[in-house]
Amino acid sequence: MKNCLLSAFIFSIASTLSAQITITNADMPDAGDSVRVSFALTTGSVDHTLTDTNYVWDFSSLIPYAQERVEFNSPTAFPFNFLSDMAVTSYTPDSLPGLGAIPSNLTDYYKYSSSSYRQVCSSFDYVPIGSFSIPLFYSAQDYVYRFPLNYGDMDTCDAAYGLGIPGIGYIGQDRHRENYVDGWGILITPLDTYQVV
């Protein structure tokens, strides 16, 4: 009888440890948070494209060649706040569509609620026209995630911004985002182990 109870107890714990999690707005970063992003040359023998239910992605053997600290700041620390909840400065921005130049201080502004996490606008400094920040207002916001986020969920979003700069040109971008939660399980990194979807 003791063995049966112990087996049932262990199974109950194992079921709890490998249960699917749900992502909500409480799992998103807040102003004041920071994350360290590590870059590795290869994933080794791990195929990062594989996924399943109760899957284990074991990246414990990765060796980073570089790291970047991403800080989630209060939008009041920047020239614009766009009624957002936080702002993130991109350290490796892409070139500006239309101008081809790489901006400095490219900052993305995010807003979150119980139903979504979305990018509402951006700003950047463009040195050739002076050292001041230029806002990019989104005519359609970029819904990065819609909550709650569970295994099997699918979502699409179309976002856009555009800005004409007299004598310079037009900066604009249309985005199409598709999210499909195609797996859940455990992610093992050199730093820690996480439950993920």
Side-chain angles (χ1 to χ4, degrees):
M1 181 67 168
K2 287 182 182 176
N3 287 341
C4 290
L5 288 176
L6 181 59
S7 296
F9 179 70
I10 291 172
F11 177 74
S12 174
I13 290 174
S15 297
T16 303
L17 291 177
S18 63
Q20 175 197 330
I21 63 169
T22 296
I23 303 295
T24 68
N25 67 326
D27 298 303
M28 296 294 102
D30 287 316
D33 289 346
S34 65
V35 295
R36 193 167 303 277
V37 179
S38 297
F39 300 91
L41 292 175
T42 177
T43 59
S45 62
V46 179
D47 184 350
H48 67 280
T49 64
L50 296 178
T51 187
D52 203 346
T53 58
N54 202 19
Y55 196 78
V56 176
W57 293 271
D58 187 352
F59 293 96
S60 58
S61 62
L62 289 181
I63 300 172
Y65 70 86
Q67 287 188 328
E68 178 180 294
R69 181 182 167 130
V70 178
E71 296 183 12
F72 298 86
N73 298 296
S74 168
T76 57
F78 296 92
F80 308 101
N81 89 17
F82 302 109
L83 300 176
S84 61
D85 295 314
M86 80 182 105
V88 179
T89 299
S90 176
Y91 295 97
T92 55
D94 294 330
S95 63
L96 292 169
L99 297 182
I102 295 178
S104 59
N105 295 325
L106 178 64
T107 303
D108 296 323
Y109 299 83
Y110 295 89
K111 188 148 187 73
Y112 54 87
S113 68
S114 61
S115 63
S116 67
Y117 176 74
R118 62 194 189 277
Q119 184 175 355
V120 295
C121 46
S122 299
S123 67
F124 68 95
D125 295 347
Y126 187 58
V127 177
I129 60 174
S131 58
F132 58 89
S133 291
I134 298 171
L136 296 172
F137 297 99
Y138 281 62
S139 57
Q141 296 179 0
D142 186 1
Y143 282 78
V144 180
Y145 300 114
R146 295 184 200 263
F147 303 123
L149 190 62
N150 292 293
Y151 172 70
D153 286 353
M154 296 180 73
D155 180 42
T156 61
C157 173
D158 291 304
Y161 67 81
L163 175 68
I165 302 175
I168 301 290
Y170 177 84
I171 302 169
Q173 186 177 60
D174 292 326
R175 296 180 184 171
H176 178 74
R177 180 186 300 279
E178 295 183 9
N179 289 335
Y180 175 51
V181 185
D182 59 356
W184 64 270
I186 302 294
L187 172 66
I188 303 170
T189 73
L191 299 176
D192 210 341
T193 298
Y194 307 92
Q195 291 184 346
V196 296
V197 293

